[in-house]
């Protein structure tokens, strides 16, 4: 037996049947004995779409044997499925109460009669009886009743949603044996033309005559479908011997000759939808709900026009560009799965089907067919696992429990990938008259929508395809407008439409002790009233360095894999199996997106990576863009690290970095809060200087057009930075100087300087000054080639383009921060001073360091001064300068004749001073020095 899933306040008609017991056989219709007709008042066939027929008749009979009994056994149940769109208005006529109807003979008022039933009962003959509109019991939308030989059956109406919202009329448990039946329902029961067949049983009980008239003229009861084409009525019969098996006959609407007659005249069916669409706030770029209403006049349905107005079978509603999904909504949101949605029934309790946490809003429908409104909820469908396979979809569930009404509808949501514009599409809508459909999206801090960023008027555009249309080309377009009147904070709208841009920056070490390892955090943020952040750069405080030794780069293949994870489950894939190895992870991130006071926060990971946009080292931020139930794939932003070779200051360079995505899979990011936590153990090292410095950032605002860089607005902000306890750091460099080669006067020895320090835990060298003994003076004649400062800066590495002749030595520096030592040539480079500078250009494939030494003389002694060196721990530095024909020094005396000492002065970044006089050793003086000592 078919049990309708949904009931709705519509009407149709049915013949109630019965048949006597017989030998086991299948029930069968006599060929051509089932007919369905709709007549005009003049007796012609009514085929006009949306019209109100004078009458509608369903007839069929069953095979009988020689004994007059129906073949196949007794009928038990009958179901008649009427054509989609064929409706009746139960509010168009009075009802007969249950007290008036029940008993051997109904005593219903004549005004409640809706038609006549003629049944041939085996053994009893033909019965002609009035059909009454009864007061339905709770849970039933419409109920008809009639009396056949003192038996009073009921006809219950329901909507078969799996049949396209067709009306089904069921008469169960029939006790009489009926061989044929014809039921006629009047199109306008109150019309006087039906008075000859009207029975006023209530007046008969009082002794009055049978003939009577309706109390007053009322609207039409029946309305023909608005869709043109062939209509079909399905009649199903089940026997008592096999109650679960139905014999089915599909019957088209027929003319007087019995030929199928299609519905026509759809162009004469009125359709004039009107909409209104208002966000729940008039503030720009703010969280918002939405109040949407669709209204239909329904004048024809109520008898004020020849044809009834049709309803939309398809609705496409596009919210204005700028009204987008609010990312804040995702945090804490739940979804309704397709299985949960399909399990929803009329009597499903709250939370048993779709979870309450997935509720987005409410619906409220008024229909002239019911006294009660149809009310229900709007639920968020599970992303990608919905009937449309889309990121976003909606489920609407509406109920009128007293009338057993239950409507459910799924809607597709499309998000424009370039603008984020929201378009919803509902297809297969029920052909049910309604006067008002209201939809309300919830408001609040985590409302599902975000209003446009600029003030002004915005229009919602809706396209409705009526049931009377052949296809979507005949859709009717209508609009509804609203105003955004104030800025996001309630203030005035920005002049010229360009929002201000005053972002904030917070940065610093968690452990602010000089020379110690510490996590270092950076936070950038803005308000809703400001422009969105397009790109940014960060300059870390001087002396903040990272220990790269032991940290492998994330492979390029891993980065490519993360970038490729853009599918429906890409974010989850990244969470389960990170694309970069854990060994290359140096920290994590947290991005806060959305509008209003509540944001959705999405965590990510920070990895060290190799060359990018001209930099040898880069930072890769990989974020699984999964917030609540939404998975937008994986977002990869790669930032080029640039390190000032002379100061050692570290930059994240905006010009060599990826832009921040503005929109992902149609969801605008509305990025408000960026947090980076560099918290790998023993990775970030504090400076050894307690000087007050700062962290600085230059951010680019999006201007009016986020997709264009032409109107990006740069803003530089900074935040103070300072560490403490610098005096606790030791500082005691050790320097050894050695001359190799000729020791006699006029020789040109090579010079080797070796500096040793403790590395991490000791203050870095800020300034170095070494004054050579009088035994050495500059060999000006050997200044053959000097590199210019302009040429020195050219190339991938400093000094790379300098002529080979300008190289006069080499240098090596070892630091615990790097796995490999820094090495490189020592140049003579042009200077603003009298003598050229001695410049070492060091690199190891990852880092470039330039040490600039200014050469001068004081009191007849050569002096070399490194005024500023990076604040970084050093283990060993070796500088070797050539001798001989390219020697920069000439002996002024015999080196072995005496002991010669230099003057060394070191200043630490912590302010400590260390001065001493290292002996300048000469390799060729070992025997001579001993002889001179004995002689002395």
């Amino acid at each position: 037996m078919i049990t309708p899933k949904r009931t709705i306040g519509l009407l149709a008609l049915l013949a109630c049947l019965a048949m006597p017991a017989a030998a086991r056989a299948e029930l069968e219709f006599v060929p051509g004995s089932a007919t369905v007709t709709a007549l005009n008042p003049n007796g012609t066939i009514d085929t006009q779409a949306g019209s109100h027929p004078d009458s509608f008749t369903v007839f069929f009979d069953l095979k009988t044997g020689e004994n007059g009994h129906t073949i196949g056994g007794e009928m038990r149940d009958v179901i008649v499925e009427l054509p989609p769109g064929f409706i009746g208005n139960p509010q168009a006529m009075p009802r007969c109460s249950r007290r008036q109807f029940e008993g051997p003979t109904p005593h219903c008022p004549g005004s409640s009669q809706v038609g006549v039933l003629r049944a041939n009962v085996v053994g009893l003959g033909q019965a002609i009886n009035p059909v009454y509109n009864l007061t339905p019991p709770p849970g039933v939308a419409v109920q008809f009743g009639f009396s056949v030989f003192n038996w009073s059956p009921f006809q219950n109406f329901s909507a078969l949603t799996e049949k396209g919202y067709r009306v089904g009329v069921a008469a169960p448990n029939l006790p009489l044996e009926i061989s044929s039946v014809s039921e006629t329902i009047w199109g306008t029961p109150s019309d006087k033309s039906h008075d000859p067949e009207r029975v006023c049983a209530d007046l008969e009980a009082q002794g009055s005559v049978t003939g009577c008239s309706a109390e007053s003229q009322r609207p039409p009861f029946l309305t023909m479908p608005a869709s043109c084409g062939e209509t079909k009525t399905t009649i199903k019969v089940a026997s008592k011997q096999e109650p679960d098996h139905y014999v089915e006959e599909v019957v088209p609407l027929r003319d007087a000759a019995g030929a199928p007659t299609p519905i026509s005249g759809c162009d004469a069916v009125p359709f004039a939808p009107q909409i209104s669409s208002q966000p729940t706030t008039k503030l720009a770029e703010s969280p918002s709900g939405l109040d949407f209403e669709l209204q239909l006049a329904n004048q024809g349905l109520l008898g004020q026009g020849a044809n009834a107005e049709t309803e939309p079978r398809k609705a496409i509603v596009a919210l204005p560009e700028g009204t987008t999904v609010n990312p804040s909504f995702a945090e804490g949101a739940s979804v309704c799965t397709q299985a949960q949605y399909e399990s929803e029934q009329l009597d499903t309790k709250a939370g048993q089907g779709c979870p309450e946490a997935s509720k987005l809003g409410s619906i409220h429908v008024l229909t002239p067919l019911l006294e009660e409104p149809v009310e229900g909820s709007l639920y968020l469908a599970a992303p990608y696992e919905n009937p449309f396979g889309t990121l976003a979809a909606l489920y609407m569930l509406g109920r009128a429990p007293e009338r057993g009404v239950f409507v459910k509808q799924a809607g597709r949501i499309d998000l424009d990938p370039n603008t984020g514009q929201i378009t919803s599409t509902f297809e297969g809508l029920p052909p049910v008259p309604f006067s008002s459909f209201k939809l309300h999206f919830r408001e609040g801090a985590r409302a599902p929508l975000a209003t446009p960023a600029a003030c002004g008027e915005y229009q919602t555009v809706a396209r409705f395809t009526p049931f009377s249309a052949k296809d979507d080309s005949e859709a009717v377009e209508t609009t509804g407008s609203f105003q955004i009147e104030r800025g996001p904070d309630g203030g005035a709208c920005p002049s010229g439409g360009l929002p201000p841009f005053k972002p904030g920056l917070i940065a610093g070490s968690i452990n602010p002790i000089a020379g110690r390892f510490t996590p270092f955090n950076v936070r950038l943020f803005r308000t809703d009233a400001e422009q969105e952040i397009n790109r940014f750069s960060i300059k870390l405080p001087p002396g903040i360095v990272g220990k790269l030794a032991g940290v492998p780069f994330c492979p390029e293949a891993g980065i490519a894999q993360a970038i490729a994870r853009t599918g429906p489950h890409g974010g989850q894939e990244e969470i389960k199996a990170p694309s970069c190895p854990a060994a290359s992870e140096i920290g994590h991130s947290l991005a806060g997106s959305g509008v209003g006071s509540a944001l959705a926060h999405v965590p990510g990971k920070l990895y060290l990576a190799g060359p990018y946009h001209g930099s040898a080292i880069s930072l890769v931020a990989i974020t699984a863009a999964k917030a609540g139930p939404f998975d937008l794939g994986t977002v990869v932003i790669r930032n080029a690290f640039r390190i000032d070779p002379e100061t050692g200051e570290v930059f994240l360079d905006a010009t060599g970095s990826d832009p921040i995505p503005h929109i992902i899979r149609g969801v605008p990011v509305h990025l408000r809060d960026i947090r980076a936590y560099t918290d790998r153990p023993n990775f970030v090292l504090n400076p050894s200087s307690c000087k007050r410095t700062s962290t600085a950032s230059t951010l680019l605002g999006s201007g009016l057009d986020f997709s264009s860089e032409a109107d990006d607005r740069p803003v530089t902000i900074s935040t103070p930075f300072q560490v403490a306890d610098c005096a606790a750091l030791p500082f005691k460099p050790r320097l050894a100087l050695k001359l190799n080669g000729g020791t006699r006067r006029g020789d040109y020895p090579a010079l080797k300087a070796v500096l040793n320090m403790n590395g991490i835990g000791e203050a870095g060298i800020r300034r170095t000054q070494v004054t050579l003994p009088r035994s050495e003076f500059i060999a000006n004649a050997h200044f053959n080639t000097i590199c210019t400062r302009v040429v020195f800066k050219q190339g991938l590495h400093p000094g790379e383009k300098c002529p080979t002749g300008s190289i006069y030595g080499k240098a090596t520096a070892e630091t615990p921060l790097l796995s490999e030592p820094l090495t490189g040539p020592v140049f003579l480079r042009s200077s603003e001073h009298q003598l050229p500078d001695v410049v070492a250009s060091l690199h190891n494939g990852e880092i470039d360091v330039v040490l600039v030494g200014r050469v001068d003389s004081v009191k007849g002694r050569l002096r070399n001064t490194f005024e500023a060196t990076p604040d970084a721990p050093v283990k060993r530095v070796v500088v070797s300068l050539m001798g001989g024909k390219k020697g920069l020094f000439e002996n002024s005396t015999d080196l072995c004749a005496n002991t010669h000492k230099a003057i060394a002065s070191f200043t630490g970044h912590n302010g400590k001073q260390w001065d001493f006089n290292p002996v300048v050793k000469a390799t060729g003086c070992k025997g001579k020095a001993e002889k001179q000592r004995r002689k002395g």
Side-chain angles (χ1 to χ4, degrees):
M1 178 177 179
I2 293 181
T3 302
K5 292 184 177 178
R6 312 162 192 173
T7 55
I8 193 164
L10 305 174
L11 289 138
L13 33 127
L14 160 82
C16 294
L17 315 170
M19 60 175 62
R24 171 68 183 94
E26 197 176 78
L27 288 172
E28 297 179 3
F29 292 107
V30 173
S33 64
T35 61
V36 178
T37 58
L39 299 179
N40 290 311
N42 59 7
T44 60
I45 301 298
D46 189 349
T47 60
Q48 172 60 51
S51 67
H52 307 295
D54 182 68
S55 64
F56 185 85
T57 300
V58 175
F59 166 81
F60 70 92
D61 60 9
L62 300 175
K63 285 185 178 180
T64 58
E66 294 180 358
N67 58 2
H69 293 290
T70 55
I71 297 174
E74 279 188 48
M75 281 192 299
R76 181 182 187 275
D77 303 309
V78 178
I79 295 177
V80 175
E81 297 174 1
L82 295 163
F86 187 90
I87 60 172
N89 180 6
Q91 306 302 316
M93 58 194 143
R95 295 189 178 102
C96 176
S97 69
R98 186 59 57 99
R99 182 182 60 82
Q100 292 172 311
F101 178 75
E102 290 179 343
T105 303
H107 295 86
C108 294
S111 58
S112 66
Q113 185 178 350
V114 296
V116 177
L117 181 133
R118 295 172 174 83
N120 185 32
V121 181
V122 176
L124 297 177
Q126 187 180 50
I128 302 176
N129 303 94
V131 180
Y132 296 105
N133 180 33
L134 305 182
T135 301
V140 176
V142 179
Q143 189 176 67
F144 285 174
F146 55 90
S147 177
V148 178
F149 295 110
N150 296 325
W151 169 68
S152 299
F154 299 102
Q155 300 175 10
N156 295 321
F157 294 78
S158 62
L160 308 176
T161 53
E162 73 277 8
K163 300 292 186 178
Y165 287 97
R166 298 178 68 178
V167 174
V169 190
N173 300 317
L174 304 175
L176 299 180
E177 182 181 3
I178 300 177
S179 60
S180 67
V181 64
S182 173
E183 183 172 17
T184 298
I185 299 298
W186 301 329
T188 305
S190 63
D191 193 274
K192 293 187 179 298
S193 63
H194 302 301
D195 286 350
E197 294 184 293
R198 198 182 312 277
V199 176
C200 294
D202 55 335
L203 299 179
E204 287 182 4
Q206 303 172 16
S208 302
V209 295
T210 301
C212 59
S213 298
E215 296 174 355
S216 61
Q217 187 69 23
R218 287 177 171 267
F221 172 55
L222 296 181
T223 301
M224 296 289 283
S227 300
C228 287
E230 188 178 43
T231 62
K232 294 180 180 180
T233 299
T234 302
I235 303 174
K236 300 179 178 181
V237 181
S239 68
K240 290 181 180 180
Q241 287 75 13
E242 198 172 1
D244 293 330
H245 174 71
Y246 281 84
V247 175
E248 180 178 311
E249 179 82 357
V250 179
V251 185
L253 187 68
R254 299 182 185 276
D255 59 19
T261 306
I263 299 293
S264 60
C266 280
D267 53 351
V269 177
F271 183 60
Q274 298 294 322
I275 68 164
S276 64
S277 178
Q278 293 288 330
T280 57
T281 179
K282 294 186 179 296
L283 302 183
E285 196 149 332
S286 299
S288 177
L290 181 72
D291 288 310
F292 177 88
E293 182 177 12
L294 168 61
Q295 292 182 319
L296 295 173
N298 284 316
Q299 291 184 349
L301 180 72
L302 302 177
Q304 299 171 359
N307 299 321
E309 183 176 17
T310 184
E311 305 80 36
R313 60 175 169 82
K314 180 178 180 180
I316 301 176
V317 179
L319 296 180
E321 189 173 320
T323 300
T324 63
V325 172
N326 177 16
S328 303
F329 147 74
E331 193 157 299
S334 182
V335 296
C336 179
T337 66
Q338 192 165 353
Q340 290 171 327
Y341 168 68
E342 291 174 351
S343 71
E344 287 276 359
Q345 300 296 329
L346 174 65
D347 57 353
T348 303
K349 304 299 181 184
Q352 291 181 347
C354 290
E356 284 297 293
S358 66
K359 186 176 178 179
L360 291 179
S362 61
I363 62 171
H364 182 91
V365 184
L366 298 178
T367 169
L369 306 183
L370 295 175
E371 295 176 354
E372 303 87 353
V374 177
E375 295 184 309
S377 300
L378 192 67
Y379 296 94
L380 176 66
Y384 309 114
E385 298 173 5
N386 54 63
F388 317 103
T390 53
L391 171 66
L394 298 175
Y395 293 140
M396 288 195 300
L397 301 172
R399 294 176 172 89
E402 283 300 309
R403 297 281 65 83
V405 172
F406 179 43
V407 179
K408 61 195 303 186
Q409 193 74 37
R412 174 189 179 110
I413 302 297
D414 292 296
L415 307 176
D416 189 288
N418 298 314
T419 66
Q421 186 176 18
I422 303 170
T423 301
S424 59
T425 303
F426 288 84
E427 295 192 72
L429 298 173
V432 181
F434 62 89
S435 56
S436 171
F437 170 83
K438 293 182 179 179
L439 180 150
H440 172 75
F441 278 110
R442 70 168 191 244
E443 56 277 305
R446 296 199 183 276
L449 301 177
T451 55
C455 295
E457 182 178 15
Y458 294 86
Q459 281 195 338
T460 297
V461 179
R463 289 180 58 83
F464 299 105
T465 303
F467 280 94
S468 58
K470 294 189 297 292
D471 51 45
D472 291 345
S473 65
E474 298 181 10
V476 175
E477 183 173 294
T478 183
T479 61
S481 62
F482 63 84
Q483 292 280 342
I484 296 297
E485 299 176 352
R486 307 292 292 175
D489 53 1
C493 296
S495 59
L498 182 64
F501 190 49
K502 298 179 180 179
L505 168 66
I506 300 174
S509 298
I510 299 301
N511 177 18
I513 304 301
R516 298 281 185 88
F517 284 110
T518 176
F520 189 87
N521 302 336
V522 176
R523 180 189 177 198
L524 296 167
F525 53 93
R526 68 174 184 89
T527 67
D528 286 323
E530 298 177 61
Q531 299 175 45
E532 295 200 28
I533 301 172
N534 199 353
R535 296 175 186 262
F536 66 90
S537 63
I538 296 286
K539 183 187 79 66
L540 298 179
I544 286 287
V545 292
K547 185 180 179 182
L548 304 182
V551 184
F553 289 160
C554 176
E556 294 296 324
I559 298 172
Q561 174 180 281
I563 293 172
R565 284 176 165 171
T566 59
H569 305 290
Q572 185 62 32
E573 292 171 1
E574 183 63 28
I575 292 173
K576 292 177 64 177
S579 299
C580 293
S584 61
E585 185 178 338
I586 62 172
H588 67 282
S589 63
L590 193 65
S593 298
V595 296
S597 59
L599 303 181
H601 291 89
V602 179
K605 293 184 177 181
L606 306 176
Y607 298 95
L608 199 65
Y612 193 63
H613 287 181
S615 294
I617 305 175
S618 60
L619 174 71
V620 179
I622 300 180
T623 303
K626 190 176 184 302
F630 296 102
D631 192 334
L632 304 181
T634 301
V635 177
V636 179
I637 300 178
R638 196 166 181 181
N639 301 274
F641 268 125
R642 302 200 189 278
I643 300 174
D644 188 300
E646 295 190 15
T647 66
E649 292 177 295
V650 179
F651 299 82
L652 279 178
D653 184 16
T655 61
S657 302
D658 298 336
I660 298 171
H662 168 61
I663 187 168
I664 305 173
R665 299 182 74 87
V667 179
V669 177
H670 291 295
L671 186 63
R672 289 259 308 278
D673 195 348
I674 307 171
R675 305 185 190 194
Y677 305 92
T678 313
D679 52 6
R680 181 189 179 100
N682 297 329
F683 180 72
V684 175
L685 187 67
N686 273 333
S688 60
S689 169
C690 287
K691 183 180 179 182
R692 184 179 177 86
T693 59
S694 66
T695 304
S697 177
T698 298
L699 298 93
L700 297 177
S702 59
L704 290 174
D705 183 2
F706 198 99
S707 62
S708 172
E709 297 181 4
D711 61 349
D712 287 355
R713 178 185 175 189
V715 171
T716 300
I717 52 178
S718 64
T719 185
F721 177 84
Q722 191 171 23
V723 295
D725 289 346
C726 289
L729 291 173
F731 183 68
K732 193 175 181 179
R734 301 175 297 280
L735 177 66
L737 298 171
K738 181 182 292 186
L739 294 170
N740 297 311
T743 60
R744 293 176 298 178
R745 176 184 173 87
D747 286 342
Y748 302 99
L751 175 66
K752 182 177 182 179
V754 179
L755 173 70
N756 288 286
M757 296 188 71
N758 295 328
I760 296 173
E762 185 176 12
I765 299 173
R766 180 177 64 81
R767 184 178 184 274
T768 301
Q769 188 175 77
V770 177
T771 305
L772 295 178
R774 288 188 173 85
S775 61
E776 304 303 318
F777 58 86
I778 198 75
N780 292 321
H782 290 177
F783 291 175
N784 296 322
T785 305
I786 297 174
C787 184
T788 66
R789 283 180 290 178
V790 173
V791 173
F792 185 83
K793 293 181 179 179
Q794 296 174 356
L796 184 62
H797 303 289
E800 185 178 69
K801 298 297 183 179
C802 288
T804 304
S806 63
I807 299 174
Y808 289 83
K810 63 181 181 178
T812 301
E814 298 176 13
T815 170
L817 301 181
L818 303 174
S819 300
E820 300 294 331
L822 296 158
T823 61
V826 176
F827 299 91
L828 284 186
R829 194 184 73 178
S830 59
S831 170
E832 296 176 350
H833 307 97
Q834 184 177 0
L835 295 175
D837 293 333
V838 176
V839 181
S841 177
L842 311 178
H843 54 86
N844 69 344
E846 298 176 356
I847 303 295
D848 290 317
V849 174
V850 174
L851 302 175
V852 180
R854 178 169 60 86
V855 180
D856 64 355
S857 63
V858 56
K859 296 181 180 180
R861 305 177 68 167
L862 281 175
R863 181 173 66 181
N864 189 49
T865 304
F866 294 89
E867 291 289 353
T869 52
D871 186 0
V874 172
K875 289 288 292 182
R876 180 181 176 86
V877 178
V878 177
V879 179
S880 299
L881 298 178
M882 297 178 181
K885 294 180 179 181
K886 294 203 72 173
L888 297 177
F889 306 107
E890 182 179 351
N891 296 334
S892 63
T893 184
D894 187 341
L895 299 182
C896 299
N898 292 293
T899 299
H900 305 281
K901 293 183 177 182
I903 302 172
S905 178
F906 293 88
T907 304
H909 278 280
N910 64 346
K912 288 185 177 182
Q913 188 79 21
W914 181 247
D915 299 331
F916 60 100
N917 300 104
V919 173
V920 180
K921 296 181 179 180
T923 55
C925 291
K926 186 173 181 181
K928 293 182 179 180
E930 180 64 18
K931 185 176 181 180
Q932 290 288 344
R933 185 184 65 78
R934 290 177 179 178
K935 184 177 179 181

